[in-house]
Amino acid sequence: VMPMAITPTEMQNLIAYLAAPASDPYGAKRAALGQAQPWTQVFSEIHLELGNETWNWNSFPGEGILDPKAYGARTSQIFAFAKSAPGYDKNKFDMIMDGWWAVPSWTEDELKQNTHADTIDIAPYTYNPFSDASSTEAIYGPMFAEPERMNSRKDGLVVQNAKLAAQFGAKLAVYEANLGTSFGTVSQADLEAH
């Protein structure tokens, strides 16, 4: 994950560090650290994501961008420089932008900015809210059914994000998944017991 503050020059230098021969100044830096061979010859694909949950300004205020169009424009700028860097190979790099799985319209606004992204990633948390701990079925039935609803129904959030990615010529990836029990009415004791 690259910081949002990365400059176009730093982006191109990163590509050189990962892909250039040891005779290049940034390839030489890599070689000086013990890796003479370019990383693009070691790994079949290198995934580079710009920012982490840039929509999640409450958790990551230093990385947050409160406007999906602004994040899309920033992604477009940085990824264009990456893709024009000496040593860049589209078969070796996967340029990833952050999507907001719970708000597909936010992701769509990002993608409309000609982002040069190869992939958009999402974090489809499940089991939110957790409000009924009255029985095993009440607890685990919804927990196991929710992924099916998100992934298989045409109105499912994962399905909507997959359609958006395809519409804009990008792949869809999941960078994180978990149980998101931060909302609901069950007691702390029930949260800890189940």
Side-chain angles (χ1 to χ4, degrees):
V1 175
M2 301 173 297
M4 289 304 302
I6 193 168
T7 67
T9 299
E10 290 170 333
M11 183 73 248
Q12 290 194 319
N13 293 342
L14 176 59
I15 297 297
Y17 178 82
L18 296 168
S23 58
D24 177 270
Y26 280 87
K29 289 178 185 288
R30 180 192 64 245
L33 293 170
Q35 180 61 41
Q37 185 181 27
W39 286 112
T40 51
Q41 293 177 14
V42 176
F43 298 107
S44 60
E45 189 173 33
I46 297 173
H47 307 277
L48 297 174
E49 179 180 10
L50 184 61
N52 175 54
E53 294 187 8
T54 53
W55 50 267
N56 192 354
W57 53 87
N58 288 329
S59 296
F60 308 110
E63 282 288 293
I65 294 183
L66 305 179
D67 179 350
K69 293 176 183 174
Y71 172 67
R74 177 74 175 149
T75 302
S76 179
Q77 176 196 35
I78 295 301
F79 288 177
F81 274 91
K83 291 183 175 188
S84 67
Y88 175 82
D89 179 346
K90 68 178 181 176
N91 298 312
K92 291 291 186 172
F93 289 99
D94 179 24
M95 307 308 289
I96 304 170
M97 73 178 295
D98 225 14
W100 190 0
W101 84 278
V103 185
S105 62
W106 184 283
T107 301
E108 182 176 20
D109 283 345
E110 292 175 344
L111 287 164
K112 284 180 178 177
Q113 305 308 307
N114 186 25
T115 61
H116 303 286
D118 302 309
T119 300
I120 182 134
D121 67 5
I122 58 173
Y125 272 50
T126 60
Y127 211 52
N128 197 354
F130 181 17
S131 295
D132 186 355
S134 63
S135 68
T136 300
E137 176 61 29
I139 296 168
Y140 295 103
M143 185 185 298
F144 292 128
E146 189 174 14
E148 182 70 22
R149 179 179 54 88
M150 290 191 302
N151 296 331
S152 298
R153 293 175 49 139
K154 66 180 178 179
D155 63 342
L157 291 172
V158 173
V159 171
Q160 290 179 51
N161 280 284
K163 286 180 181 176
L164 284 169
Q167 177 185 339
F168 289 91
K171 298 173 283 189
L172 181 68
V174 172
Y175 70 89
E176 178 180 295
N178 208 336
L179 300 177
T181 59
S182 54
F183 298 100
T185 59
V186 298
S187 67
Q188 185 64 38
D190 280 329
L191 283 172
E192 292 170 7
H194 304 287

